[in-house]
Amino acid sequence: MPNGPLMIIGGAEDKVRKPTILKHFVALSGGRDARIAVIPTASSLGREVVDVYDALFTKFGAASVEAVRPETRDQAHDPALVKALDEATGIFMTGGNQLKLSSIVCGTPVGDAILRAHERGAVVAGTSAGASIQSSHMVAFGVGGATPKQRMTQVAGGLGLMDGAVIDQHFDQRNRYGRLLMIVAQSPQLLGIGVDEDTCGLVEDVAGDAVMRVIGKGAVTVLDGARMVSNAHEAKRSAPLLASGVVFHVLPEGSVFNLSTRTLVPQEPGVDLEDAHELAEASRDLRQLVRDIAAADATPAAIRRRLKLRRTPSPPADPTRDQSPTQPQGDIS
Amino acid sequence: MPNGPLMIIGGAEDKVRKPTILKHFVALSGGRDARIAVIPTASSLGREVVDVYDALFTKFGAASVEAVRPETRDQAHDPALVKALDEATGIFMTGGNQLKLSSIVCGTPVGDAILRAHERGAVVAGTSAGASIQSSHMVAFGVGGATPKQRMTQVAGGLGLMDGAVIDQHFDQRNRYGRLLMIVAQSPQLLGIGVDEDTCGLVEDVAGDAVMRVIGKGAVTVLDGARMVSNAHEAKRSAPLLASGVVFHVLPEGSVFNLSTRTLVPQEPGVDLEDAHELAEASRDLRQLVRDIAAADATPAAIRRRLKLRRTPSPPADPTRDQSPTQPQGDIS
């Protein structure tokens, strides 16, 4: 059975006005049958955070919402917590401090239960810190800035729901190009994934490939350093890094990106409503023209009169205005 | 004769502690023979700005410093100003409001004199607004942010000292990835060049190619959208833009980049001093070994003794410590 969907949310997802992402999570988790486990361990306000998500997920129709809240590695061995995760159809990890979350759950029965849930097809979602922890390599902490500089961020181990990647969040809002790029410069085998606030990368298993669809207000930025040239091994202190030949992809809502092949999946281009309307009208005109010709009623004057009637239903047709520039002119044959 | 050097400075260049960039400008302009024209038109404090640069360039040894300060398009037709530019070996455009600068000088005799100076080999430098104006297309104004969004910035015409490019400044410090990327998404034929503060892209004509060397504390970021996929023609309002397959190059001090071919020019890798020292020591040891063998004095014990003497001059050699793990062990042949 394929791995379950991952929802990588960049933090500050809308909870009130347009809670698209959170609704999507409940729907994917089974809607009325969704059994949701909320892990608020990253947060210093775990209890209050659970209350918020409990209210929301219940409002969006989930069958049950349970808190799984280890606060120590010891508690992350609690069989009751493991059982709650094993029975969940959707797991939601909240924001906060990802290093707190990862250092409490990674390599414990609770951590293993999250991986197991993913493997059996359950949805695993996380926002902010809960997004960071999903990749094999995790941004532990660091500073903002557009230019990558040596030592501007620290990498720790993540849960590894997504291998060969490093996820960053609040990407646009906290200006994290630099730190994600520093990590990719030091580890070009890792795909850098930066997720904006109120934005979600929904990753699903499609014939063995990890395919991401973007939902929400911002964009997901993917940094691919496969062919990059860098001086990361010799840059001193906090020097800016050489990072030449990085390929990047800024992906707004509706974009689909194959993370396994590192390529954009082309989508049907959108159709402009005005274009469509004009085209439909032209089609009708042409069909009428064909009928007119068939009926041998195809003198230019007759056609002009007919077009005029169709396009300007009022005021009634006025033969003296036939030559106005808004009317079709000359022979139509 | 090849075009003169361009110095594209990202603003806030160091003027006191380590004024590398400004010294470089005076040296390139001829040092003791440098005749410098300062154009402070972008600034609302033109007179004071001229005083600062006058003091600095004089201190760095320039022969003369003259202000060329049109404040209206009419003044930009003043033959006295044109003459000052025609006689300059270096032109320096200050920071301020690039749209003020460009709308006063572009397409006037003063603007033409700057282009002419470049063509006859003079140095043209500009910082902040004075950097922006150098490209054919200019960021007029806009907002910060990492993710490119429709309408986040406005493009105006620049001087065109550099064709097919758009230059942005204060790049890292004001988080301008998004707006530069928006422009490249809308105009993929333009190379986006983002320059950090206290950093300079020095562009020279090398056999017909524009080759840029980076000087200073930060980095120059180049965005190449030649093969990008974007939805810029249909994105609504302030929606984030799809920008997939953009290649970028973050270039710190010492990097060299060919802007014409859009490729990094490889540099000799730096040599680590400690590595070099160890290698020199190993070389000496090997030469001694060769001499020992030639002298038929090459028993393992004799070699160990000799190496030991050389490596640990004090305390004096102690035969009982020959097997310590820091000593060479076993046969050396």
Side-chain angles (χ1 to χ4, degrees), chain B residues 108-177:
Chain B
T108 69
V110 160
D112 294 345
I114 301 171
L115 292 168
R116 210 157 47 231
H118 175 58
E119 282 160 15
R120 69 176 156 77
V123 185
V124 180
T127 186
S128 190
S132 288
I133 197 179
Q134 298 185 37
S135 47
S136 53
H137 297 69
M138 186 184 85
V139 180
F141 47 79
V143 297
T147 293
K149 291 175 184 144
Q150 197 75 307
R151 295 181 176 73
M152 78 192 294
T153 185
Q154 298 287 322
V155 173
L159 260 178
L161 293 159
M162 182 185 287
D163 269 339
V166 59
I167 292 170
D168 208 349
Q169 15 78 1
H170 302 280
F171 192 67
D172 178 23
Q173 292 75 14
R174 300 190 188 169
N175 191 12
R176 288 174 165 174
Y177 251 102

Side-chain angles (χ1 to χ4, degrees), chain A residues 212-280:
Chain A
M212 176 175 73
R213 178 180 295 274
V214 179
I215 305 170
K217 215 173 72 182
V220 177
T221 299
V222 175
L223 303 182
D224 176 0
R227 301 297 298 271
M228 82 186 294
V229 176
S230 174
N231 67 345
H233 66 287
E234 56 186 11
K236 306 293 185 204
R237 294 179 298 275
S238 62
L241 294 177
L242 172 70
S244 173
V246 180
V247 176
F248 72 104
H249 309 270
V250 182
L251 309 163
E253 181 160 65
S255 309
V256 179
F257 191 84
N258 186 323
L259 296 165
S260 304
T261 60
R262 301 184 169 196
T263 52
L264 186 73
V265 179
Q267 301 299 296
E268 284 294 312
V271 170
D272 187 288
L273 278 184
E274 214 166 293
D275 273 2
H277 182 75
E278 253 178 53
L279 189 64

